Structures are given as structure tokens and as C-alpha cells.
Amino acid sequence: MDSINTLFLLTGSLIALSVVASRLSSLFGLPLLVIFLALGMLAGEDGILGIEFDSYGLAFIIGHLALAMILLDGGLRTRLKTFRVGLKPALSLATLGVFITSGIVGVFATWLFDLTLVQGLLVGAIVGSTDAAAVFSMLRGQGVNLNERVGATLEIESGTNDPMAIFLTITLVEILTGDVGSPADTLWLFFQQFALGLAIGIGGGWLSGKLLRWLDLAPGLYSLLALALGFCVFGLTSALGGSGFLAIYLAGLMIGNQPGRHLSFILPVHDGLAWLSQIGLFLVLGMLVTPTEMIDYALPGALLAIVLIFVARPLAVVLAIKPMFSFRWKEVWFISWVGLRGAVPIVLAIFPVVGGVENAALYFNVAFFVVLMSLMTQGTTLSLVASWLRVTVPWRVEPDRRGPLGVLPENDYEMFIYRVDNEALEDAPIRLLRFPSGALISALFRKHAMLHPKGSTRLRLGDMLCVIGRPGDLPALNRLFNGDARLKRERAFFGTFTLDGEAMMADVASAYGLTLSPGERDITLGEFVSLRVGGHPVIGDDIGWHGIQWVVSDMEGHRVTKVGLRLYH
């Protein structure tokens, strides 16, 4: 009984400390995952609590469960519209990019640790993929708002590149243990992993989404059923020889992109589950490592991390996306820098231990040190590098809070809560607001008192408004409540003047005294900018033309609807 009580006490204390310690991330700029790892190491054998934890098998199981939940949450939050510009380059990075990164690091590891080529390549395969948990938590935690092309590519890559690294790791472990089949068998395994992962993930996720929309459950059961269905997809795919990690990510993607009231109950719970998974996984991995043993790998591990961060990842990104896709060099360099390593390499480093590979401790300790270096160097500088390379766009106004009313099964009405920060709205009567026709103000809160708004009611700065509308009303509502400070930042980025994307280039050239080629006179400004940026434009794209920067400031689908004019700076 005492051991059970001790387990509860230690587990609760470590999780609570991890949550409280997360404040250090915002105060000192430390990556959250490093904090979780450090707490695990402090609780471990060489730490303050001295917990002796050396069960690689248990850590292997915990790692799979945690990564499955993290990837499911990542898929739930990924919007299919991001695939417009991010799918193809992300898949290239997730396959060719991982292969190139693993090869370069593997060859260097062969020389550095005096290994055979296969052993060195196994080191490269283990640290070859970026980690969804690391990427998602870092970008959200530092408040970085990347342009859609870069953000979508990184988001999709980090959710889909694990299968390639797992395939390479398993294949190399089998070669070292003598269990590998013929080259044809290896190719078949590769095809099987990805084909089954795609088919079962998309099919199972689509059916799961339909079931969640159709069932009428208690609110707390939707998230439980979504998790159970995701685990079923993961287990079925893995049992048949496919990639369970790819399948559960795609299942989350399919569920999250089928609108309905179920999502409002699923997303908040899964956000908490993803955090719990990250905390639990990194605490376990931190306890599993022995810092005194890791000291011997510090110098070679640091050299390997330097080669990975500054040579292998940038070269892989350049070769995988630059020749085939319209990425600017500043975007390529930023994607190179965001090759964060997290829990996945450490979990993959357990494969050689479980498989009985000779000198398995080397793989685990090297992977752990490389992850630590990656988080400390790349993770702490994400926002600085993003600003320096100018791959960010200003945050747009969003409601302080929002939630569906549960009135309609599709395109439901929602409650949007806005704070009045726009000085232009001070003393403005409600009847004069340019409100979307389908939206209305249901309540107004002023100094903690609720007022019943009428057309003659005048707004005051600091008022809280409860607006009922539909998601399609958000662009107009966001523009209406745009605060002055945010408006100034947007104007500094997009320019003081904005032109309609449907304006004909002949008219624009005539108004501003610009010179056009004959073929450019009969196209719109939006089409002109799209052609100049190489197709697939995103908000924030700019071109220099006639001493002015022309900036994409708004889009509808693939069409540029607004273009800002900004002087060079």
C-alpha cells in the first residue's frame, strides 16, 4: 500500500512541478521540453530523488502512447486549407529530407565514433526526423505567427516525417541483428508502412468523424471516443504492418476537419491530453538517462549536433524543396533552423536497446545529447530568427473567447466575445456600426455590470461585447474591433494604402505611373502579384516593383483580394 501511495505522491508532484515550472519558459525563454527533461533528470538516479528507473521496455510503451496522443492532437488542429501550399514541400521534407539528413549525420557518426557504416547510419536515422511535439509546443509557446507557406510546411512535415525515420531505424536494427530480409522485402516494407498508414488513417479518420457527428453523447464522452477511435486506428495499422504514427495523425486530421458541435468538446480536452503526454514522456525519458554516463558523450555528441543543425538539416532542406517549390531563401533558412529534435529521437534510440543491438547505450546517450543541444540552440532562438528572416505576419484580431451555441448541426451560430480596444469606436452608437447582416450584439458588459444594448447605446473603451454570429462573420467582426496598436502594426507591415486585388493592372499602372509589359495590362493586380511570387501566394508575400513593395494583405482561397503598398525599409 505504501508503494502505491508513494507512486501517487511522486507522480502528482512531478506533474504539478512541471506545470508550475512552465512559467519559467515565458520568464527566461527556456523551452518547455527542456524544463520537463531537467525535472525528470533531477528525479532520476543521479538526481535529488534518486529514483532508479531503467526499464527501457516500459519507456518504449509510454513513448508510443504519448507520441500517438500528441500526433492525434496535432492532426485535430491542422486545417486542410493549409495543404494548399504546404503538403507537397512537407512530404518532400518528410521523405527525401529525412533520408538526406540521416545519411549525412550517419556518415559523420561513422567517423566520429569509429563505427561501421551501418551502425553510423543507425545513429543518423535515430536523429533524422523533426519532432511534432517539439515543433508544435515551441511555435505556440513563443507566439510566433509564421506566414502560411512556412507554417503549413513545418506543421505538416513534423506530423508526417516520423514514419520515414522509424522505417530507417527498424531496417538498420534488423540488419545489425541479422533479421533483415532481401532488398525486395525491404522495399515492400517501405511501401506497406506508408500505404497502410495513408489508407487506414484517412479511411478510419473519415469514418470516425462521421460517427462523432452522428452520435448524440454527453459532452465529456466525445473526447474519450475520439481518443479511443484514434488508438484503434493506430493499433490496427501497426498490427497490419503499416505506420501507426502516420495513421493516427491522418485520423486526427480527418476528424478535426469535419465541422460539428463535437469539436468544441474534443479540442480542449485533447489539448490537455497532449500536454500531459509531453510532460509524462519527457519526465520518463529524463529519469531513464544517467547524467554521469552521458558526460562521456558530451564532446562527440556536441559535434554531431553541430553537424546536424548547421550542415545536414540545411542541406537537406535546400535539396528537398528549393529546386521544386517556390520558396524564398529566407524561408528556406528558417525551415532549416526549425528542424527541432524532441522526444522521437530518444524513443527511437530505445529500438536498438529493445532489439539487442551491440553497444546500444551509445545510441541512447548520443540521441539524448543531440536532442538537448537542438532544444537549447534552436528552441531558444525561434522567435528571434523568425523576426530576423522576416517570415512572420502580424497577428490578426480574434475574439477573446468563442464557442458554438449548439443550435444547428452544421454552420452553427457561435458566441464571440470582443473587448472594445479600437479608439474609433469610443462613443459610437451601436446602430452606426458596420455589422455583418447576420450578427447581433446580445449583451454588453461595462465595469462588471451587464447592459442590454440598444441601437442608441454608445460604446466605451474596455466594454466587453457578446456577439452572436456565424464563422463567416468573423473577418468583418475582426476588422471592426481591430485595436489601434494592432492596426498600426498591420499598417507598418502591409502598408498604409491597400488596393483591391480585382483592380486591373492597366488602371493601377495609369494611376501610379508604372510601366507594364503588353501581357500584364489585361490581368488583375492579384493575378500579377501571384505570378511574381511564383504561384500559391500567401498573406505576407511581397514583391519589389518600381520602388514599392506590394504586399499580399488578404486572400480568399487561392485568390488575392487585397494588396498593400509599402515603402522599402
Side-chain angles (χ1 to χ4, degrees):
M1 184 65 70
D2 288 340
S3 61
I4 295 177
N5 294 334
T6 303
L7 178 63
F8 272 95
L9 178 61
L10 287 175
T11 303
S13 299
L14 287 173
I15 293 175
L17 278 173
S18 300
V19 174
V20 174
S22 65
R23 284 290 299 154
L24 296 174
S25 176
S26 55
L27 292 175
F28 302 106
L30 286 173
L32 279 173
L33 305 186
V34 172
I35 295 173
F36 301 154
L37 275 176
L39 284 173
M41 293 169 71
L42 287 173
E45 186 176 347
D46 289 350
I48 298 173
L49 298 181
I51 299 173
E52 294 185 8
F53 179 77
D54 57 0
S55 177
Y56 285 92
L58 180 58
F60 188 73
I61 295 171
I62 293 173
H64 273 64
L65 284 171
L67 289 176
M69 283 195 281
I70 291 166
L71 286 169
L72 178 62
D73 180 68
L76 286 168
R77 297 177 191 281
T78 301
R79 301 276 67 83
L80 279 174
K81 66 179 183 180
T82 64
F83 280 44
R84 178 180 68 90
V85 293
L87 178 60
K88 292 179 181 178
L91 290 181
S92 181
L93 285 172
T95 51
L96 179 61
V98 171
F99 190 81
I100 295 171
T101 302
S102 301
I104 295 172
V105 174
V107 170
F108 184 75
T110 300
W111 168 81
L112 184 63
F113 296 102
D114 193 21
L115 304 172
T116 66
L117 180 59
V118 176
Q119 290 173 330
L121 290 175
L122 178 56
V123 174
I126 288 170
V127 300
S129 73
T130 59
D131 185 5
V135 171
F136 294 151
S137 65
M138 292 292 181
L139 293 177
R140 291 171 187 166
Q142 296 188 18
V144 177
N145 189 29
L146 302 173
N147 75 47
E148 186 184 4
R149 184 185 298 107
V150 175
T153 300
L154 288 170
E155 190 173 12
I156 299 169
E157 181 212 1
S158 62
T160 56
N161 65 2
D162 295 341
M164 185 65 171
I166 293 170
F167 167 77
L168 292 174
T169 300
I170 292 174
T171 301
L172 291 167
V173 167
E174 289 178 346
I175 291 174
L176 289 173
T177 56
D179 296 330
V180 71
S182 64
D185 292 335
T186 303
L187 287 175
W188 172 247
L189 176 62
F190 177 81
F191 174 78
Q192 186 179 14
Q193 284 269 311
F194 285 87
L196 287 174
L198 282 168
I200 299 176
I202 294 175
W206 185 82
L207 290 173
S208 299
K210 292 293 183 186
L211 179 63
L212 286 162
R213 290 181 63 187
W214 176 69
L215 289 175
D216 185 14
L217 302 173
L221 294 179
Y222 283 103
S223 56
L224 184 60
L225 181 58
L227 181 63
L229 293 171
F231 278 176
C232 287
V233 168
F234 181 93
L236 176 62
T237 308
S238 300
L240 295 176
S243 172
F245 291 109
L246 177 61
I248 198 168
Y249 173 77
L250 293 174
L253 184 72
M254 292 294 102
I255 294 171
N257 282 275
Q258 295 191 47
R261 63 189 295 266
H262 62 285
L263 288 180
S264 62
F265 305 125
I266 291 173
L267 292 177
V269 175
H270 277 263
D271 186 45
L273 288 175
W275 276 113
L276 179 62
S277 300
Q278 291 185 57
I279 292 172
L281 177 56
F282 277 83
L283 285 175
V284 167
L285 295 177
M287 287 190 292
L288 192 61
V289 73
T290 305
T292 52
E293 292 181 5
M294 202 174 65
I295 293 174
D296 297 333
Y297 299 93
L299 181 58
L303 291 174
L304 191 70
I306 289 171
V307 170
L308 171 64
I309 294 170
F310 294 101
V311 180
R313 170 69 178 183
L315 190 58
V317 172
V318 170
L319 294 176
I321 66 173
K322 188 59 179 173
M324 297 175 281
F325 307 103
S326 300
F327 280 78
R328 302 181 178 193
W329 279 110
K330 62 181 182 180
E331 296 172 336
V332 171
W333 298 136
F334 183 76
I335 293 173
S336 301
W337 189 249
V338 189
L340 294 173
R341 268 61 190 171
V344 171
I346 306 177
V347 173
L348 290 182
I350 301 176
F351 277 70
V353 180
V354 176
V357 174
E358 182 183 356
N359 199 17
L362 178 144
Y363 302 103
F364 184 81
N365 286 294
V366 167
F368 193 95
F369 200 87
V370 168
V371 167
L372 203 57
M373 286 279 293
S374 174
L375 291 173
M376 291 301 295
T377 55
Q378 296 167 291
T380 55
T381 56
L382 272 185
S383 57
L384 291 174
V385 174
S387 299
W388 177 54
L389 292 175
R390 295 172 61 188
V391 295
T392 60
V393 294
W395 287 101
R396 298 294 180 96
V397 168
E398 294 290 340
D400 288 31
R401 288 185 299 279
R402 58 182 292 188
L405 298 182
V407 177
L408 304 174
E410 293 186 18
N411 194 25
D412 191 17
Y413 283 96
E414 293 190 43
M415 176 72 75
F416 307 117
I417 299 179
Y418 286 96
R419 179 185 176 88
V420 179
D421 291 325
N422 188 352
E423 292 187 3
L425 299 180
E426 172 69 22
D427 203 39
I430 288 177
R431 66 171 177 271
L432 295 183
L433 299 181
R434 299 183 64 182
F435 242 59
S437 58
L440 59 87
I441 299 176
S442 61
L444 187 154
F445 291 86
R446 180 177 298 163
K447 296 180 180 180
H448 305 291
M450 186 175 74
L451 308 179
H452 297 285
K454 301 177 182 178
S456 59
T457 303
R458 294 181 178 271
L459 298 179
R460 296 286 183 268
L461 290 177
D463 285 352
M464 299 296 293
L465 300 179
C466 299
V467 180
I468 295 178
R470 285 176 163 163
D473 300 323
L474 275 176
L477 291 172
N478 292 340
R479 283 194 298 270
L480 177 65
F481 293 106
N482 206 342
D484 286 352
R486 187 175 273 117
L487 191 60
K488 288 177 182 177
R489 287 195 296 271
E490 286 195 11
R491 284 178 175 171
F493 184 87
F494 294 110
T496 306
F497 301 103
T498 302
L499 300 181
D500 192 333
E502 295 299 314
M504 299 302 298
M505 282 303 298
D507 298 331
V508 174
S510 176
Y512 289 91
L514 309 177
T515 304
L516 295 173
S517 63
E520 295 171 339
R521 299 187 62 84
D522 298 327
I523 61 175
T524 65
L525 176 60
E527 292 169 340
F528 175 79
V529 174
S530 298
L531 290 171
R532 286 295 181 102
V533 300
H536 299 296
V538 297
I539 292 175
D541 273 347
D542 58 11
I543 59 169
W545 186 54
H546 284 276
I548 301 172
Q549 282 183 303
W550 305 73
V551 190
V552 177
S553 60
D554 204 1
M555 294 188 63
E556 289 182 6
H558 297 266
R559 186 168 56 89
V560 177
T561 57
K562 299 289 183 184
V563 178
L565 276 67
R566 182 179 68 202
L567 297 178
Y568 284 110
H569 66 280

